Amino acid sequence: MTTVVQSLAIIILVLCCFFHQCIGFSPLAALHRRGGSSTRTESRSCYSSRKRFLLFAKATDEEDPSKTKDAATTLNLYGEATIRSESVPPPHDKIHEFFALPESASLLLRGSNNNEIVEITNVDDDLREAYQQQCRKVDASDPTPDDLFYDVTTSGVRFPGLQIMSIATIGTKVIKEGHAGFPAYEFVLIRDATYATGSRVFVWFFNKVTGKDKDNKREDQATQSLNRIRVLPIEDGSIEFECNANLSINIKIPAVLMKIIPNKEKAEKTGGDSLCATLKGDIPCALSGFRQEYMNWRNRS
């Protein structure tokens, strides 16, 4: 359900680890100086830090790629979360019908940020093959002819001076007989793309880390995600909706940028913790909306 977490992790790694901890340059200090409160010393310090950063950027752009092609380091980020909704009282004899509705899956894909959802009606062989490959990688159920595909555009992640947008293609499957005979959903991330707008300095660094400055000559970072939504029966006849979501991101960092990362393990832990936090922030709202719509639909049927 959530793809914006990839962008959020990149922002945290880039801005927090790279800028503030390593280079000693804060773009915010340079771009948004506090009027009337900055001293001469602060201005000189800011100028000196900015100069160091610009020199680093120049050296990075001029470095011979052939010397660092094989020296790239991969940061492995992983986050997982399991969230349950509030219980729903019986009856549930029509719940299979509700799960079969395309708009029911859209509720979950829309998430807490009201993402834009567009169903892909013209599914070509390349998309189906990519979907099958991702299903194998994340240990999802085998694809079926009834699976649906969506392009999901997130509302974006905003950070002072930078905005990251994400477009993801997701395959959706209804498992008719899941846990205890109830239906379930599987959402598999097939591919995604991110782009940045805002401050030139921030955008430059984002493009440098993600490889977007190379016109796709570098491999894109590998991202896998599987979200399962299942129904859990309770002894009194009620049910709960449970979501188990995981997201794995492998980001290839050029050797010249790895020189300024203080600790690879710490960066991976920070990124993984951020993925978990974002999943836990997005899922409860989506499950709550799904639960409410199910009760409304049941009462109308």
Side-chain angles (χ1 to χ4, degrees), residues 128-186:
R128 291 194 181 277
E129 182 179 352
Y131 177 47
Q132 189 172 38
Q133 290 177 355
Q134 289 302 316
C135 284
R136 287 198 296 265
K137 287 182 179 180
V138 299
D139 197 25
S141 303
D142 292 334
T144 72
D146 296 329
D147 295 354
L148 299 178
F149 301 86
Y150 297 89
D151 275 336
V152 182
T153 302
T154 71
S155 57
V157 174
R158 294 181 182 273
F159 195 89
L162 186 71
Q163 180 174 8
I164 310 297
M165 301 296 294
S166 175
I167 303 175
T169 301
I170 297 177
T172 304
K173 178 193 316 298
V174 178
I175 301 174
K176 297 181 180 180
E177 296 298 328
H179 181 69
F182 284 101
Y185 283 125
E186 283 188 351

Side-chain angles (χ1 to χ4, degrees), residues 33 36-48:
R33 296 180 185 176
S37 63
S38 297
T39 65
R40 255 185 182 174
T41 302
E42 289 172 337
S43 297
R44 286 197 300 268
S45 175
C46 181
Y47 173 78
S48 177

Side-chain angles (χ1 to χ4, degrees), residues 246-266:
N246 63 69
L247 183 65
S248 174
I249 306 172
N250 298 324
I251 306 177
K252 287 191 175 181
I253 307 295
V256 67
L257 294 184
M258 282 303 300
K259 296 176 183 178
I260 63 171
I261 295 181
N263 185 291
K264 178 179 182 290
E265 289 72 23
K266 182 178 180 181

Side-chain angles (χ1 to χ4, degrees), residues 182-254:
F182 284 101
Y185 283 125
E186 283 188 351
F187 297 94
V188 175
L189 177 63
I190 302 173
R191 60 194 179 204
D192 70 338
T194 56
Y195 61 94
T197 60
S199 163
R200 186 177 64 175
V201 175
F202 279 89
V203 172
W204 176 88
F205 219 93
F206 175 86
N207 291 339
K208 182 61 65 175
V209 170
T210 59
K212 296 184 182 298
D213 62 327
K214 300 298 183 182
D215 296 326
N216 295 325
K217 292 180 182 179
R218 247 185 64 205
E219 295 181 1
D220 293 332
Q221 71 267 15
T223 305
Q224 286 87 42
S225 179
L226 171 63
N227 296 342
R228 287 190 173 101
I229 313 294
R230 65 173 185 167
V231 178
L232 299 181
I234 304 176
E235 291 183 357
D236 63 357
S238 299
I239 62 170
E240 294 177 343
F241 296 112
E242 180 188 77
C243 174
N244 176 263
N246 63 69
L247 183 65
S248 174
I249 306 172
N250 298 324
I251 306 177
K252 287 191 175 181
I253 307 295

Side-chain angles (χ1 to χ4, degrees), residues 9-10 91-92 154 189 222 275 295:
I10 293 174
H92 304 295
T154 71
L189 177 63
L275 298 185
M295 291 191 296

